[in-house]
Amino acid sequence: LLLLASCGEIAYGRPGFGSLYLDSRTEYLLLVAIIVSIWLVVFVRHTQHAAVGGAVTKWYLHRNTDRSATRCCGGSAVALGLWHALRYHAGSIAAGSLLITTLKLIRIAFFLLKRTFYQRVSRGLDACGCNGSNRLAAMCLCCISCCLKCVEKSLEALSRYAYAQMMRSKRSFCPSAAEAVRLLTTNLAGAASLRFVAAAFLFLGKLLVAAGCAFLGWRILVQAPPYDSALYSPLAPAVCIFFAAFAVALVFFGVYNMALDTIFLCLCADKERVDAGMPPLGRAHELSSVLGVPIDAPAPQHPRGKGGRRMLETPAERSGSDPSNNPFSRGSGVVDDGGYRI
């Protein structure tokens, strides 16, 4: 971006001021570079969501005694989730990130339009070139801007659930998003309560981390030489440390946020299995009471079909020595409506 911007010519005005002029081709390339940069940033963020969703799904479906599913990627669940996200679902992640990027670009374009409108109003002209300010148009612009922000936040939350469902069921982005919406609407009360409590605790955690870092920095600036004598006031550096630590905490606590969404989605799928008369899988009995999703069913059994053949395998049997039985291997087994292999 800086290289393209440096291709322009500077036209100097009054002393200390100037303007940068770019030809039409350079402006087009600069616009494309900005759009691609935003897309790449959103893609990296969504890849993180998918990798965390895959790691948490693997943890949910396997007990601590099951070590066979961690034999690749150095035994790291996060590395395995990242591998499967980039190997099998890179196109789905790119499609989801493109959707969010498009909405962000619409909001940016609308912000520029609103800014131009306010500049015309400040000069005594409304959008039609008439005298006076148009209060109704300003109110409509504010309402549209608020609606676009709400839609963007809603799609970002939906994309997290879609990536969790995508890593759980091994489907593409759109079917996973539709399935995630269906599971959330079925358990709407639990999703709302979990989101409210989780948001409160996550915000308190971010605030605690930022305040702790700011306090530690303030103590160092007050007691450690040469800052104790050379620094006029430790207030400004402490405030900067607080905001920097809060920004870092936003990234790290996003992992916990994605993990909660994935576990809740897996519990909702297990609840549907119980309602259909099938036993839950994974850690449903351990986590149902914690997240408020009641699952009243006995321990997982093995229902038998005709001829006495077992129809459902345990997580340990599904991830045995045969690589085709690994629930993270693409194309292995048959996937039912809940996303589990039978």
Side-chain angles (χ1 to χ4, degrees):
L1 294 177
L2 294 177
L3 180 61
L4 289 175
S6 63
C7 296
E9 297 180 358
I10 300 178
Y12 295 98
R14 65 178 188 269
F17 293 88
S19 301
L20 183 65
Y21 288 97
L22 301 174
D23 55 5
S24 58
R25 182 174 178 272
T26 306
E27 288 181 351
Y28 175 76
L29 292 176
L30 185 61
L31 179 62
V32 172
I34 292 174
I35 295 174
V36 172
S37 300
I38 297 175
W39 189 8
L40 286 177
V41 171
V42 179
F43 179 82
V44 171
R45 182 66 172 170
H46 287 198
T47 303
Q48 174 196 346
H49 292 162
V52 173
V56 174
T57 302
K58 175 177 171 296
W59 169 85
Y60 180 87
L61 292 176
H62 297 87
R63 301 287 181 176
N64 295 330
T65 57
D66 181 20
R67 303 295 184 183
S68 58
T70 61
R71 58 181 177 270
C72 61
C73 297
S76 174
V78 178
L80 184 61
L82 180 61
W83 163 254
H84 281 276
L86 295 177
R87 173 64 178 85
Y88 300 114
H89 304 289
S92 298
I93 298 174
S97 59
L98 180 61
L99 178 63
I100 301 298
T101 303
T102 303
L103 190 56
K104 287 183 179 294
L105 294 176
I106 292 175
R107 289 190 61 238
I108 292 174
F110 187 79
F111 172 78
L112 296 176
L113 178 63
K114 185 172 67 172
R115 182 181 177 183
T116 303
F117 174 80
Y118 285 150
Q119 287 178 353
R120 295 175 66 90
V121 169
S122 63
R123 293 197 301 265
L125 298 174
D126 61 4
C128 299
C130 304
N131 294 327
S133 61
N134 195 331
R135 296 180 179 271
L136 180 60
M139 184 180 68
C140 292
L141 289 176
C142 291
C143 292
I144 295 174
S145 178
C146 181
C147 291
L148 288 176
K149 183 66 175 179
C150 292
V151 171
E152 180 184 358
K153 290 298 182 181
S154 301
L155 286 181
E156 286 179 352
L158 177 61
S159 66
R160 293 199 308 269
Y161 287 106
Y163 292 136
Q165 176 67 19
M166 181 181 69
M167 299 302 293
R168 192 181 66 85
S169 62
K170 311 303 182 215
R171 300 176 185 175
S172 59
F173 179 78
C174 291
S176 299
E179 181 67 17
V181 169
R182 188 185 65 80
L183 290 174
L184 290 176
T185 52
T186 306
N187 304 271
L188 193 57
S193 59
L194 175 65
R195 178 50 44 201
F196 178 78
V197 175
F201 276 96
L202 288 176
F203 178 76
L204 289 177
K206 299 170 191 174
L207 198 62
L208 181 62
V209 170
C213 292
F215 177 76
L216 182 61
W218 176 77
R219 294 286 295 179
I220 293 175
L221 293 175
V222 169
Q223 296 180 355
Y227 308 109
D228 54 350
S229 59
L231 195 62
Y232 177 76
S233 173
L235 180 60
V239 172
C240 294
I241 292 173
F242 176 84
F243 285 108
F246 192 83
V248 175
L250 283 175
V251 178
F252 281 92
F253 276 87
V255 177
Y256 292 97
N257 193 15
M258 184 64 194
L260 284 174
D261 294 340
T262 306
I263 293 174
F264 180 77
L265 209 62
C266 292
L267 284 174
C268 292
D270 272 346
K271 184 175 181 295
E272 284 197 348
R273 290 177 59 86
V274 172
D275 295 340
M278 295 183 292
L281 300 178
R283 303 173 183 265
H285 291 286
E286 303 173 13
L287 300 173
S288 59
S289 59
V290 178
L291 296 183
V293 182
I295 298 179
D296 299 328
Q301 302 294 328
H302 300 290
R304 299 181 179 272
K306 295 181 179 180
R309 185 176 59 89
R310 290 195 303 176
M311 299 174 59
L312 184 64
E313 296 177 348
T314 62
E317 291 173 337
R318 289 199 313 274
S319 57
S321 59
D322 188 3
S324 63
N325 292 330
N326 193 328
F328 271 75
S329 61
R330 189 174 181 86
S332 60
V334 181
V335 182
D336 65 351
D337 291 336
Y340 298 99
R341 284 171 173 76
I342 57 176

